Amino acid sequence: MKYISENIDFNIKNSAVTLGKFDGLHQGHQILIDKVLSLKEEGYTSVMFTFLYHPYNLFSDNEIKLIFTEDEKKHILSQSGLDVLISYPFSHDTKNIEPEDFIKNILVEKLDAKLIVVGNDFRFGRNRRGDINMLKAMEDIYGFKVISFEKKRWEDTIISSSVIRNELQRGHMERVNNLLGRTYFIRGKVLDGRKIGRTIGMPTTNLLPPSNKLLPPCGVYTSRTIIDGVSYPGMTNIGYKPTVGKEKEKGVETYIFDFSKDLYGKEIDIELLEYVRPEIKFDSIEELKVKMEEDLTFGRKFFNI
């Protein structure tokens, strides 16, 4: 997959392109992605056009955190068969581009779009004036065709990034994973931690997610760790380790069942399956050890190991 970011000077030929924010790459997004991938069989270049940063971050003091970071999004899409991912720089100039100019200058001239795949509620350009009706009105002028899809539902819920974000912040991991259509994960390199877990016979891996990664509540979760494509069951704590040092940044600490290899510096994925309990401050390391042993017993029953 070709990845284009922080660059407006690109030239793609004969593309089938899907456009949107794509935060979470959830089930609704997957319909759009699957459609452009299917068009590869007809000779089109499959393209996703999105923005490098969540658009709202430019205009708010409160950064909107992402379900999947840019690195995680690239990781998912690189395995999908997509030809090109464009993360277009989002700036005040981008925000103020007239929708007609976006169609002409970007969709037609830079992307050579022959098929445009979007959700029915897709909006673009200055003041969000551009919509699916405008795109369809331009079909004969520029020689492209618009393919649109209704919002996808899961059970009684219309799937959207905002709905998933709300469920994630409540720790409803099973619901999050169903809405996503994949398991929520945290990707990162294993850090050299304090090794306190080793001293109590429970060695753990430690990740420090980027600041713009949306994390569930602090606490303990059943998890799977993906190492070189292989999945290992375990238990993950998200939080500040209040018993052993009160970390300033929220970290991700995982115990992997029956695993003893050195992972320092290794890039891994931590998939979260189920919320077990909140993070607790204990009066001693011994109390922490007892509770961790209870967590591991719960985890072994959960995974039937």
Side-chain angles (χ1 to χ4, degrees):
M1 181 184 76
K2 185 176 182 180
Y3 175 60
I4 300 171
S5 68
E6 301 186 41
N7 179 13
I8 62 173
D9 295 321
F10 52 83
N11 192 268
I12 310 297
K13 293 297 183 184
N14 196 42
S15 73
V17 57
T18 184
L19 305 102
K21 299 188 190 81
F22 296 107
D23 183 22
L25 297 174
H26 57 60
Q27 286 194 57
H29 297 146
Q30 288 164 36
I31 293 174
L32 308 182
I33 296 166
D34 288 346
K35 184 60 181 179
V36 297
L37 290 175
S38 72
L39 292 167
K40 290 177 64 173
E41 297 177 4
E42 300 177 30
Y44 296 102
T45 302
S46 59
V47 178
M48 175 186 286
F49 182 97
T50 186
F51 293 103
L52 185 58
Y53 302 110
H54 196 294
Y56 296 148
N57 290 353
L58 184 65
F59 311 107
S60 172
D61 292 333
N62 298 317
E63 181 181 36
I64 292 182
K65 295 181 183 293
L66 302 173
I67 299 167
F68 290 129
T69 65
E70 185 74 3
D71 182 60
E72 291 165 346
K73 184 186 293 184
K74 284 165 55 183
H75 175 66
I76 293 169
L77 293 171
S78 67
Q79 299 174 327
S80 72
L82 189 74
D83 292 320
V84 183
L85 168 61
I86 298 171
S87 288
Y88 200 80
F90 194 81
S91 63
H92 286 282
D93 289 339
T94 307
K95 172 182 178 288
N96 290 317
I97 188 171
E98 295 294 340
E100 297 88 346
D101 292 336
F102 179 83
I103 293 170
K104 179 178 182 294
N105 299 337
I106 295 178
L107 291 181
V108 176
E109 294 182 1
K110 293 183 183 297
L111 292 174
D112 189 28
K114 304 303 182 188
L115 291 150
I116 297 171
V117 181
V118 291
N120 277 346
D121 62 342
F122 177 65
R123 305 299 290 264
F124 62 97
R126 187 172 186 173
N127 298 326
R128 292 169 53 82
R129 281 201 309 109
D131 60 12
I132 188 170
N133 293 323
M134 180 182 288
L135 285 172
K136 287 185 174 180
M138 300 281 189
E139 283 182 327
D140 292 338
I141 297 173
Y142 291 115
F144 56 67
K145 181 181 178 182
V146 178
I147 302 172
S148 62
F149 290 90
E150 296 284 351
K151 287 275 194 179
K152 184 173 175 60
R153 289 178 175 268
W154 179 75
E155 295 184 340
D156 60 344
T157 302
I158 294 176
I159 299 173
S160 70
S161 299
S162 59
V163 167
I164 295 169
R165 194 177 285 112
N166 288 336
E167 296 290 349
L168 182 57
Q169 289 174 309
R170 295 171 182 169
H172 298 166
M173 298 315 303
E174 184 176 357
R175 190 166 178 81
V176 167
N177 294 336
N178 279 315
L179 290 166
L180 284 173
R182 60 166 47 87
T183 308
Y184 169 89
F185 68 92
I186 303 157
R187 184 172 180 81
K189 286 187 177 180
V190 178
L191 303 175
D192 190 354
R194 299 183 184 183
K195 301 183 177 64
I196 292 173
R198 291 180 180 272
T199 66
I200 57 176
M202 300 177 192
T204 57
T205 65
N206 292 273
L207 303 182
L208 187 62
S211 63
N212 66 338
K213 172 71 173 178
L214 182 64
L215 296 172
C218 293
V220 175
Y221 297 79
T222 55
S223 64
R224 285 191 297 256
T225 301
I226 312 302
I227 306 166
D228 295 330
V230 180
S231 176
Y232 299 89
M235 302 294 291
T236 294
N237 182 80
I238 294 179
Y240 301 94
K241 303 180 186 177
T243 303
V244 297
K246 295 182 180 180
E247 303 290 346
K248 293 181 180 179
E249 297 176 285
K250 191 183 291 188
V252 178
E253 183 178 22
T254 300
Y255 176 87
I256 305 172
F257 289 114
D258 307 317
F259 188 91
S260 59
K261 294 180 182 178
D262 185 358
L263 295 175
Y264 292 127
K266 188 86 172 172
E267 193 160 50
I268 62 174
D269 298 336
I270 306 294
E271 298 181 340
L272 300 184
L273 307 179
E274 182 179 291
Y275 176 76
V276 177
R277 65 167 176 84
E279 187 174 48
I280 301 170
K281 184 182 187 304
F282 297 97
D283 293 330
S284 68
I285 296 293
E286 192 58 37
E287 287 184 16
L288 170 64
K289 180 180 179 181
V290 170
K291 191 60 179 177
M292 287 179 67
E293 287 172 346
E294 291 177 6
D295 292 337
L296 298 186
T297 298
F298 175 91
R300 288 191 180 276
K301 289 180 180 177
F302 180 90
F303 289 108
N304 194 27
I305 56 176

